[in-house]
Structure formats: structure tokens, C-alpha cells
């Protein structure tokens, strides 16, 4: 398995969405890289793969999956894994990621990122499966923290202890979703910086930024709005801890024109530049 | 406390089947009761799947209206939980929510076939030039392979005009039945989805191609549709050229190649 001691840095990226295919190819905007939703390209042919190949000629890509179901107690789906591996061979992504969650059992897929109990049992189970997947794909996997709306009675530790323990045990990398940390910190009443400060910096390869919405007592990870002030603040504080990490904006709904997302990405760059200058004497 | 496997089963049973055993495993307080927390997941589950159905079936959605569509989608989700890794395939059997004689049944099949054609396997069509090089005496033995994106369906309702009116934002024609049923084909030429109805001789021809009959046999069968025997070769050539131009044929083989 290929593991690297030196962290790959891609810069500032965006999620690739079909609404922007033509604009990207026409204008070749200055975006360092794109993240694709893996499952959208596990299709036989047609436009999705056509545009993917053409965009790959001009931009680095990373693959982001939603159906690995790494925390499920079902067997790992080798057909799915083979398809992911084939796609990775086709587009040579800088890395492959999925979520620290489960999506269904008994062969069902609820198409949601469901929460796990934070126990030793789960750590062993998930770390073992991540290792199997890494072995199969021949590369380290990035695992992303999800937003959650409930806590299990028998959780034995905090989410950040759980996340860090899995990373260490599986020897995998992390995709830190700053918005998800914020969302969960409100839903579960913790200090988001306690979370961030506990994570192994050297393993954090990517950051997600996104918007959310409020629903009664909760905030929900909807990815349908611009990144709000509180997430920008947390991003700035995260960078103080991590130093520069490849960052991208994740918008899945109410998708605006590409220019609007580029402006948002510009805001991420400005924050990053300021923090690096202040904290690390780097610009 | 249940082990991880049992916990996941109970969680899933809450979301899909309203079974409440999982409640005991969830932390709650007065402000945020257990059901409220669990229902965020349950509501999101239905919303996400219903949304994916509205994306796959935009005209059906518009014709039925939000309320009726959502009710049917809800029933579909309960009867058919997803086993797919990608939500893209989830709506495959949604037509079963309607009686087979129904207008909506045909509309659902048509819209689903459009999604299948959209990302079906690619295949480079055969050019007319490449066929010109075939020696005259090899023609009767020729067999053909059709594009993997090809889908066929017979309509007994005026589905396509209604579907078109929706996209062209023109007044929708009245729903009406068609006698006899009209055969249609859908396929992709390069990246673009195409569809058209077929006159009966072309439908026969395509049918025969699809069943692997050779060109000689196909021509013989054309006599059922062409009045004068001497017109058959010309008629066969016209149909074949039409199929080639449409990008429907992706390979051919002479008997000696087989
Ligand atoms: Fe994310």
C-alpha cells in the first residue's frame, strides 16, 4: 500500500457539479482542483464520464464517496469497491475519501450518513474495515466526520476521541468537515475547538466548508447555502491549529453560478493567507 | 445495550418500519426528545428518496402534482427500500405504482428509459463508408450489433406529445389512447438522447436485427411489407441507411468473420 510521509497539498478546490461542466471547460477558471461525488460516475457511459474525462485533462481531482458504509456491520461490498477502484484507475485522483458512518444493514441503503456509537467495539470494527479497503485500493483513505443529531446511550467517549482513535488504529487520513464539526457542536453542546484541537494534524489532508440551516433546536447539515460567518470563524481557528490544508467548498443544493462559488473560495483563500501570515509567518 | 449489529438493525427498523426499540439507546432531554432526534433521520430518508424520484420523473411529477406524487413515492419507498449503492438507480421500478393500462404507467416507463439511455454504455457507430467496402456477395450473410443505449417501448397513449409540451412549455394535448399501439425507440447518438416512432416495416427490421438475423433473411421478411418483390433491396437499403445515420448500428460481421 502506498503511504506517504509528506502531505500532498492541492490548494483550493470546489465540488464538481454537472451544472458547471460547460463553464469549466469553456472558461477553465482558476480552481486548483475538483472533488467529484464518486457514485455519480459509477455509470456505464454518456455525459457524466465524458465530462469527467475532459475536466480531468485540465484539473487534479479527488474522489468523495457516500456509500462505502465503512461503519456498517454488513460485509464490505466488493463489487462496489471494485467499481471505485476502476474509477480511480481511470482518473487517478489525488486521494479517495468517504464518511465515518454507516448507511444501512441487511443489504439496504438508506442513502444517509448515519451516526455510529463511540465505543471500543466500533473503533475496532471500523479501523479493521478501513484497513481492508486501503489494502484493496492500494492507498490510504481519507475519512470524513459527519454531522449528527443524536447520541447513543452507550457511547464511551467524545466524537473527537473516537475519530482520532480510528485514524490512528487504521492508519488512515482525515477529511475534516469544519461545518459538520460546527453543526454537531451546536446539536450536542460542545466547544468545536475542543474537537479540532484533539485531531492529529499530520493526518488532516482536506477540509470541507459548507452551509447549513436551522430547524427548531437543531442545525442541519444541508449544504444548500453559502458558508456562514460562524463556519468561517471556525475555519480560521482550525487553520491556526493545522496550518495549511487543502480546502474546498461543498455545495450540494441550490447550486449557484460558478462565479459565486469562486467568490466564496476567494474568501477561504483570504482567511488562509491572513492566518498563515499571523500564525506561521507565512503568506 | 445491543451490539453494533443489533443497534444498526434497530435504527434502520425505526426509519423504515416505524419500530421503536432503538429509542432506549438514544440520549434524550426535555428540550430535545428522542423521537424528535430520530425523526430528523427518518424525515430526511423519505425526503431524499422522494426528491430523487422527482428528478427521475419530472413530467410524471408535474402531471400528478406534489401531493399525489409524494403519497405514491412514500408507498413505493415502503414497499421497495433501496439496495443500490447509488441513488441514481433507485427509481427503476416506480412504474409499478400504476396499473399497466394506465397513462401514468407508460409515462413512468418512458421517463425511466430516458434516464437509462442518458448514461448507458458508449459505443462508436458504424459509418456508411465502412459498409461500402463490403463485397456484394457477402451482404446476405451480414449480421449487425445495435447500440447498447437502445431501448424500445410501445405506446398506447400519446405520451411523447404530452412529454414534449411539458419541456417546450406549450399547452399539453389532451390525454388520449392510440390504436394500434405505436412502437418507439430511444437511444443515444454520441452524447445526445434521441427518440422516434417506427413505421411497421422499420420496426420489423430493427426487431430482426436485434434477434441476430442476417441481412438476407431480413430482406426476405420485408416482403410482408413491400408490395413489389423488386422493390425489396431498395427498401432494405433505405432502412439500413436510416439506422446507420441515426447511429443505431455499432458493428457488423460477415459470415466468414464469425
Ligand atoms: Fe463534507
Amino acid at each position: 500500500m502506498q503511504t506517504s510521509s509528506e502531505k500532498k497539498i492541492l490548494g483550493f478546490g470546489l465540488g464538481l457539479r454537472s451544472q458547471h461542466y460547460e463553464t469549466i471547460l469553456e472558461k477553465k477558471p482558476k480552481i486548483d482542483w475538483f472533488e467529484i461525488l464518486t457514485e455519480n460516475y459509477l455509470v456505464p457511459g454518456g455525459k457524466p464520464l465524458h465530462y469527467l474525462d475532459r475536466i480531468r485533462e485540465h484539473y487534479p481531482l479527488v474522489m468523495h464517496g457516500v456509500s462505502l458504509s465503512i461503519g456498517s456491520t454488513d460485509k464490505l461490498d466488493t463489487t462496489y469497491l471494485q467499481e471505485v477502484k476502476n474509477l480511480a484507475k481511470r482518473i487517478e485522483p489525488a486521494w479517495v475519501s468517504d464518511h465515518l458512518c454507516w448507511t444501512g444493514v441487511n443489504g439496504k441503503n438508506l442513502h444517509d450518513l448515519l451516526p455510529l456509537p463511540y465505543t471500543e467495539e466500533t473503533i475496532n470494527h471500523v479501523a479493521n474495515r478501513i484497513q481492508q479497503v486501503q489494502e484493496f485500493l492500494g492507498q490510504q483513505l481519507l475519512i470524513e466526520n459527519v454531522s449528527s443529531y443524536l447520541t447513543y446511550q452507550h457511547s464511551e467517549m467524545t466524537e473527537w476521541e473516537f475519530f482520532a482513535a480510528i485514524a490512528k488504529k487504521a492508519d488512515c487520513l482525515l477529511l475534516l468537515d469544519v461545518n459538520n464539526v460546527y453543526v454537531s457542536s451546536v446539536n450536542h453542546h460542545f466547544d468545536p475547538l475542543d474537537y479540532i484541537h484533539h485531531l492529529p494534524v499530520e493526518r488532516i489532508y482536506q477540509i470541507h466548508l459548507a452551509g447549513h440551516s436551522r430547524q427548531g433546536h437543531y442545525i442541519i447539515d444541508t449544504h444548500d447555502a453559502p458558508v456562514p460567518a460562524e463556519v468561517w470563524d471556525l475555519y480560521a481557528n482550525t487553520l491556526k491549529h493545522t496550518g495549511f490544508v487543502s480546502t474546498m467548498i461543498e455545495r450540494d443544493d441550490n447550486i449557484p453560478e460558478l462565479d459565486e462559488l469562486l467568490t466564496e473560495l476567494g474568501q477561504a483563500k483570504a482567511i488562509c493567507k491572513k492566518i498563515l501570515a499571523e500564525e506561521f509567518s507565512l503568506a | 445495550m445491543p451490539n453494533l449489529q443489533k443497534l444498526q438493525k434497530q435504527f434502520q427498523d425505526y426509519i423504515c418500519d416505524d419500530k421503536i426499540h432503538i429509542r432506549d439507546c438514544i440520549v434524550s432531554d426535555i428540550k430535545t426528545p428522542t423521537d424528535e432526534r430520530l425523526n430528523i433521520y427518518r424525515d430526511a430518508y423519505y425526503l431524499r428518496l422522494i426528491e430523487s424520484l422527482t428528478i427521475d420523473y419530472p413530467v410524471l411529477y408535474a402531471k400528478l402534482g406534489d401531493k399525489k406524487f409524494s403519497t405514491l413515492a412514500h408507498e413505493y419507498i415502503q414497499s421497495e427500500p433501496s439496495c443500490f449503492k447509488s441513488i441514481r438507480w433507485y427509481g427503476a421500478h416506480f412504474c409499478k405504482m400504476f396499473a399497466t393500462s394506465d397513462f401514468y404507467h407508460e409515462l413512468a416507463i418512458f421517463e425511466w428509459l430516458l434516464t437509462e439511455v442518458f448514461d448507458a454504455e458508449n459505443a462508436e457507430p458504424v459509418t456508411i463508408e465502412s459498409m461500402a467496402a463490403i463485397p456484394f456477395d457477402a451482404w446476405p450473410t451480414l449480421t449487425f450489433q445495435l447500440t447498447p443505449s437502445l431501448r424500445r417501448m410501445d405506446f398506447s397513449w400519446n405520451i411523447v406529445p404530452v412529454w414534449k409540451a411539458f419541456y417546450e412549455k406549450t399547452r399539453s394535448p389532451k390525454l388520449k389512447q392510440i390504436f394500434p399501439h405505436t412502437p418507439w425507440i430511444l437511444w443515444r447518438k454520441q452524447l445526445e438522447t434521441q427518440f422516434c416512432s417506427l413505421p411497421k416495416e422499420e420496426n420489423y427490421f430493427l426487431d430482426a436485427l436485434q434477434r441476430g438475423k442476417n441481412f438476407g433473411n431480413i430482406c426476405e421478411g420485408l416482403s410482408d411489407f413491400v408490395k413489389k418483390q423488386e422493390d425489396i433491396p431498395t427498401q432494405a437499403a433505405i432502412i439500413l441507411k436510416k439506422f446507420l445515420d441515426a447511429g443505431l448500428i455499432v458493428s457488423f460481421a460477415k459470415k466468414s468473420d464469425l
Side-chain angles (χ1 to χ4, degrees):
Chain A
M1 189 177 78
Q2 170 199 334
T3 59
S4 54
S5 50
E6 204 167 304
K7 197 187 277 192
K8 273 191 232 168
I9 301 278
L10 292 181
F12 294 89
L14 285 179
L16 182 64
R17 303 293 176 258
S18 58
Q19 291 86 336
H20 303 139
Y21 286 160
E22 289 289 353
T23 317
I24 292 165
L25 288 171
E26 231 170 78
K27 297 192 178 157
K28 314 263 162 43
K30 265 190 77 114
I31 298 167
D32 297 330
W33 53 284
F34 286 103
E35 180 188 80
I36 67 156
L37 286 173
T38 304
E39 287 75 9
N40 289 358
Y41 301 93
L42 303 182
V43 293
K47 278 187 185 168
L49 289 168
H50 167 84
Y51 281 106
L52 183 67
D53 288 340
R54 290 186 61 201
I55 289 166
R56 178 67 184 98
E57 288 168 18
H58 304 282
Y59 296 92
L61 299 176
V62 306
M63 281 168 54
H64 186 50
V66 292
S67 289
L68 177 60
S69 201
I70 200 70
S72 172
T73 45
D74 273 4
K75 270 208 195 109
L76 279 167
D77 184 332
T78 46
T79 312
Y80 169 77
L81 280 175
Q82 188 60 54
E83 285 182 60
V84 172
K85 193 173 179 176
N86 295 348
L87 184 63
K89 201 171 164 210
R90 180 179 186 133
I91 62 165
E92 299 181 337
W95 55 71
V96 177
S97 65
D98 205 298
H99 301 82
L100 182 52
C101 69
W102 62 288
T103 66
V105 280
N106 297 346
K108 289 185 192 172
N109 189 353
L110 306 190
H111 299 285
D112 198 357
L113 310 171
L114 304 170
L116 289 161
Y118 309 138
T119 65
E120 285 298 331
E121 180 201 7
T122 319
I123 291 172
N124 291 330
H125 176 70
V126 175
N128 180 279
R129 283 163 64 98
I130 294 174
Q131 282 172 334
Q132 288 180 50
V133 173
Q134 294 186 139
E135 204 61 48
F136 184 83
L137 296 178
Q139 58 184 299
Q140 275 179 298
L141 205 59
L142 269 71
I143 292 292
E144 177 182 359
N145 58 302
V146 298
S147 301
S148 67
Y149 313 104
L150 56 78
T151 308
Y152 296 104
Q153 293 277 8
H154 57 308
S155 279
E156 299 156 357
M157 61 193 91
T158 60
E159 185 187 335
W160 51 93
E161 287 164 336
F162 177 73
F163 194 23
I166 284 180
K168 190 169 172 212
K169 188 149 200 168
D171 190 19
C172 67
L173 304 170
L174 302 183
L175 195 177
L176 174 60
D177 189 313
V178 171
N179 176 58
N180 289 349
V181 173
Y182 180 79
V183 167
S184 292
S185 78
V186 173
N187 293 340
H188 305 300
H189 319 289
F190 62 77
D191 180 345
L193 284 176
D194 285 345
Y195 192 125
I196 306 280
H197 289 157
H198 201 88
L199 299 179
V201 170
E202 68 288 357
R203 293 188 190 271
I204 306 174
Y205 269 44
Q206 188 186 337
I207 285 178
H208 270 172
L209 295 172
H212 52 248
S213 55
R214 212 161 250 287
Q215 265 180 43
H217 298 300
Y218 308 91
I219 43 179
I220 313 274
D221 166 36
T222 42
H223 295 186
D224 61 350
V227 178
E230 55 275 20
V231 175
W232 286 126
D233 279 352
L234 186 57
Y235 175 55
N237 284 317
T238 300
L239 291 176
K240 286 179 193 171
H241 176 62
T242 60
F244 182 69
V245 173
S246 302
T247 298
M248 68 154 260
I249 307 225
E250 201 180 26
R251 182 69 86 86
D252 296 317
D253 226 329
N254 287 331
I255 296 173
E257 296 286 324
L258 193 63
D259 279 347
E260 202 177 313
L261 293 173
L262 278 170
T263 308
E264 252 191 310
L265 201 58
Q267 205 170 334
K269 279 185 202 174
I271 289 172
C272 187
K273 201 171 167 191
K274 182 166 171 280
I275 298 294
L276 295 189
E278 282 170 11
E279 302 285 321
F280 301 93
S281 317
L282 297 164
Chain B
M1 282 297 152
N3 65 16
L4 187 58
Q5 189 173 25
K6 192 157 179 211
L7 181 88
Q8 291 181 342
K9 172 86 173 63
Q10 288 180 350
F11 195 110
Q12 184 164 288
D13 286 347
Y14 184 94
I15 291 179
C16 302
D17 299 316
D18 296 330
K19 292 189 187 148
I20 56 170
H21 306 290
I22 188 69
R23 273 181 179 166
D24 297 339
C25 304
I26 310 297
V27 176
S28 70
D29 55 54
I30 299 167
K31 252 172 87 181
T32 51
T34 309
D35 279 333
E36 198 176 310
R37 291 178 177 272
L38 281 165
N39 288 345
I40 293 176
Y41 289 96
R42 186 167 56 191
D43 295 348
Y45 169 69
Y46 281 102
L47 275 176
R48 187 170 300 107
L49 291 181
I50 292 172
E51 193 198 2
S52 96
L53 292 170
T54 63
I55 292 167
D56 290 338
Y57 297 97
V59 183
L60 189 64
Y61 176 69
K63 290 279 149 201
L64 286 168
D66 185 63
K67 206 171 157 206
K68 185 94 203 282
F69 188 93
S70 300
T71 307
L72 285 166
H74 214 91
E75 283 171 30
Y76 179 66
I77 294 163
Q78 279 173 341
S79 72
E80 189 134 352
S82 174
C83 297
F84 300 101
K85 278 290 173 183
S86 168
I87 203 165
R88 185 250 169 274
W89 307 106
Y90 179 63
H93 306 123
F94 193 48
C95 69
K96 78 171 193 185
M97 302 311 290
F98 308 95
T100 48
S101 57
D102 199 305
F103 168 83
Y104 296 110
H105 186 259
E106 277 188 15
L107 178 56
I109 294 176
F110 181 60
E111 291 202 283
W112 185 258
L113 290 183
L114 288 171
T115 76
E116 284 192 355
V117 170
F118 173 77
D119 54 16
E121 202 184 317
N122 301 334
E124 206 46 50
V126 164
T127 61
I128 294 187
E129 294 73 50
S130 68
M131 301 228 58
I134 299 166
F136 183 75
D137 56 357
W139 272 88
T141 70
L142 285 188
T143 52
F144 302 84
Q145 190 105 45
L146 294 161
T147 175
S149 68
L150 177 69
R151 300 291 185 275
R152 305 175 69 183
M153 78 177 282
D154 289 349
F155 287 112
S156 55
W157 290 88
N158 57 336
I159 300 293
V160 177
V162 170
W163 184 90
K164 269 194 175 152
F166 174 82
Y167 281 100
E168 288 163 4
K169 296 196 167 67
T170 53
R171 229 179 118 132
S172 182
K174 266 204 154 139
L175 309 186
K176 64 168 196 247
Q177 287 196 277
I178 311 166
F179 299 104
H181 298 180
T182 324
W184 280 70
I185 55 170
L186 306 85
W187 76 103
R188 207 177 64 233
K189 191 177 178 187
Q190 256 74 47
L191 294 175
E192 300 308 322
T193 298
Q194 321 279 323
F195 46 85
C196 70
S197 62
L198 292 182
K200 53 185 185 309
E201 65 279 11
E202 289 179 20
N203 193 48
Y204 151 77
F205 202 101
L206 191 76
D207 218 35
L209 287 180
Q210 210 166 22
R211 280 191 280 140
K213 292 212 169 177
N214 68 32
F215 193 68
N217 286 334
I218 296 172
C219 288
E220 277 167 33
L222 259 188
S223 60
D224 292 347
F225 305 91
V226 181
K227 276 185 198 139
K228 287 192 217 152
Q229 199 65 18
E230 63 267 31
D231 289 344
I232 288 179
T234 320
Q235 188 61 34
I238 289 170
I239 297 175
L240 188 64
K241 180 170 182 306
K242 186 176 167 184
F243 287 176
L244 285 164
D245 285 339
L248 283 168
I249 295 172
V250 295
S251 73
F252 60 86
K254 302 191 284 279
K255 196 173 183 190
S256 55
D257 300 338
L258 296 172

